[in-house]
Amino acid sequence: MHICNCPPIWISGKLVKLTIHNSTTFRLLWKGNWFIQEKSCKILSLIVSARPKNQDGVLANGEASNSKTKLSTIDDVLKGLVEWLCTQLKKPSHPSRGIPTAINCLAALLKEPVCRSSFVQADGVKLLIPLICPASTQQSIQLLYETCLCVWLLSYYEPAIEYLATSRALPRLVDVVRSSTKEKVVRVVVLTFKNLLSKGTFGAQMVDLGLPQIVQSLKAQAWSDEDLLEALNQLEDGLKDNIKKLSSFDKYKQEVLLGHLDWSPMHKDPLFWRDNITCFEENDFQILRVLITIMDSSTDPRALAVACFDLSQFIQHHPAGRVIVNDLKAKERVMKLMNHESAEVTKNALLCIQRLFLGAKYASFLQV
């Protein structure tokens, strides 16, 4: 049996000496009934989150902690606990308490670097994403808050940020902050945005998802939390700087890659197409291929209409537009959309087909 002794900590006004018995604790976690599992999990989380932190081999109370065995034992406890919590998120032992209990403990444990590492290695980040959704009842609001708190803690950890960048986390967080009226939920999501703003393409995605307008709306509300107001101001300034840095084609590219096509001004701006037409050749015509994929897979009539229109614009402005679009097998996709139930889609599909058959020489005479 491994025993991990922690220095005394204060609990409810009393100085308590805590000892973790590894094998006993984990036997209770994995084999006990739900009541015992829940209590064991919360006690372990309390011990871990309350223990004095190790800095340069010295504990907060001044005791030396040079023993590698002691440190590795504590890390083993943390890793085992994180594994059990991930299991609860995948297949909860209790139908209504399993997931809330796991999230509650993770919100305390993810302050620990070793827990963040173990959680990411266990592929736990993806288990949080489905839980990021607008909530109405008090119980679901608390679960949402603690889930967003976990994401905020992970936003300080680079490997977790890399995963968040490839998931649906950001659109879901935007939906939450757009609809939530609970101050603590809004605060933790805004702080998460602030952390992610300068990372990779997050800033551009936030702009495309309409976050600048949402921030303006949030600032107009009466919040009592000064930290939230300060964070909103900082986020607004950061988004403005991001918009200035983005070229018009960068914005367009992000819009297409995210699949959030709408009639933003650049689509119908002849200058945009003339200035940026060669940019469409990048990465083997990646943007054109994505537009064609949107035609195949999207159920949004607006996105389909804009995709058809953009393809017609490419045909008109690129010297080899008609040949390139034909080589990408786009004609069949556009032809199918000519029978779409939306008049907006059929109108722009027809325009695209006409330009495809007429070529650039005569295409400029066609109007939308």
Side-chain angles (χ1 to χ4, degrees):
M1 177 187 295
H2 296 290
I3 300 178
C4 172
N5 293 306
C6 296
I9 61 173
W10 288 95
I11 300 179
S12 301
K14 296 181 180 179
L15 193 62
V16 180
K17 179 74 173 179
L18 296 168
T19 304
I20 304 174
H21 298 266
N22 286 358
S23 61
T24 303
T25 304
F26 290 121
R27 179 171 56 80
L28 293 175
L29 271 180
W30 291 101
K31 295 182 179 179
N33 61 39
W34 171 248
F35 178 83
I36 296 174
Q37 285 181 337
E38 182 179 31
K39 300 309 174 191
S40 300
C41 166
K42 292 197 171 184
I43 290 169
L44 273 174
S45 299
L46 176 64
I47 293 171
V48 169
S49 60
R51 83 184 196 284
K53 301 301 182 286
N54 182 304
Q55 294 180 342
D56 300 325
V58 179
L59 294 168
N61 65 352
E63 294 180 12
S65 60
N66 296 319
S67 169
K68 291 183 179 179
T69 303
K70 181 182 291 187
L71 292 175
S72 63
T73 303
I74 294 173
D75 285 355
D76 288 342
V77 171
L78 292 173
K79 289 173 184 176
L81 181 54
V82 168
E83 181 185 350
W84 184 83
L85 293 170
C86 288
T87 301
Q88 290 303 305
L89 293 178
K90 293 175 190 173
K91 191 176 180 181
S93 300
H94 191 281
S96 62
R97 291 293 309 148
I99 290 176
T101 297
I103 292 293
N104 177 263
C105 292
L106 282 169
L109 291 172
L110 289 175
K111 298 170 186 174
E112 299 277 338
V114 67
C115 288
R116 293 176 192 169
S117 175
S118 298
F119 188 66
V120 172
Q121 288 174 18
D123 211 12
V125 182
K126 73 176 183 182
L127 303 174
L128 298 177
I129 309 302
L131 302 176
I132 305 172
C133 56
S136 54
T137 66
Q138 189 61 40
Q139 186 176 8
S140 61
I141 288 172
Q142 184 62 24
L143 176 60
L144 173 62
Y145 167 68
E146 291 179 348
T147 302
C148 292
L149 184 59
C150 290
V151 176
W152 173 64
L153 291 167
L154 290 168
S155 71
Y156 288 95
Y157 184 56
E158 201 64 38
I161 292 173
E162 291 173 9
Y163 185 90
L164 291 170
T166 60
S167 71
R168 291 281 301 163
L170 190 61
R172 283 177 170 268
L173 287 168
V174 170
D175 286 342
V176 165
V177 83
R178 181 189 288 115
S179 60
S180 182
T181 57
K182 199 71 175 177
E183 193 166 62
K184 66 179 183 179
V185 173
V186 174
R187 180 181 65 248
V188 75
V189 174
V190 168
L191 290 173
T192 303
F193 288 152
K194 200 176 75 157
N195 282 358
L196 296 176
L197 184 61
S198 62
K199 306 291 185 179
T201 62
F202 276 110
Q205 291 182 52
M206 289 177 192
V207 172
D208 288 330
L209 290 167
L211 191 58
Q213 294 84 355
I214 295 171
V215 169
Q216 287 181 357
S217 175
L218 289 172
K219 286 183 66 177
Q221 298 181 40
W223 305 107
S224 60
D225 189 331
E226 292 184 4
D227 290 339
L228 172 55
L229 295 172
E230 183 182 355
L232 284 169
N233 286 329
Q234 292 174 349
L235 181 58
E236 183 180 44
D237 291 341
L239 288 169
K240 285 178 180 177
D241 290 341
N242 214 277
I243 291 171
K244 290 176 185 176
K245 291 175 186 175
L246 284 172
S247 72
S248 57
F249 187 75
D250 288 329
K251 295 176 190 176
Y252 175 81
K253 185 177 179 179
Q254 286 298 321
E255 184 180 317
V256 173
L257 294 179
L258 288 170
H260 298 142
L261 293 179
D262 206 345
W263 291 117
S264 51
M266 70 187 82
H267 294 277
K268 295 190 176 184
D269 180 4
L271 190 62
F272 166 79
W273 291 98
R274 284 198 297 269
D275 290 348
N276 296 288
I277 196 63
T278 57
C279 296
F280 285 81
E281 299 173 5
E282 294 174 0
N283 299 319
D284 193 24
F285 299 97
Q286 178 194 26
I287 295 300
L288 290 185
R289 294 177 187 278
V290 175
L291 286 172
I292 293 167
T293 300
I294 289 172
M295 292 179 186
D296 263 343
S297 59
S298 179
T299 56
D300 178 14
R302 178 61 55 82
L304 293 171
V306 175
C308 288
F309 179 80
D310 286 2
L311 207 59
S312 74
Q313 291 294 94
F314 176 81
I315 295 167
Q316 179 181 347
H317 289 90
H318 195 286
R322 183 167 60 156
V323 174
I324 293 166
V325 171
N326 271 320
D327 286 348
L328 293 175
K329 313 295 184 193
K331 184 172 73 174
E332 294 79 4
R333 274 90 157 191
V334 181
M335 292 284 284
K336 288 180 182 178
L337 293 176
M338 289 177 66
N339 296 319
H340 197 276
E341 59 186 13
S342 166
E344 184 183 25
V345 175
T346 57
K347 173 183 174 183
N348 286 282
L350 177 60
L351 174 70
C352 187
I353 287 296
Q354 288 173 331
R355 286 181 171 164
L356 194 57
F357 282 122
L358 290 173
K361 183 176 179 180
Y362 302 103
S364 59
F365 293 102
L366 296 171
Q367 299 296 322
V368 181

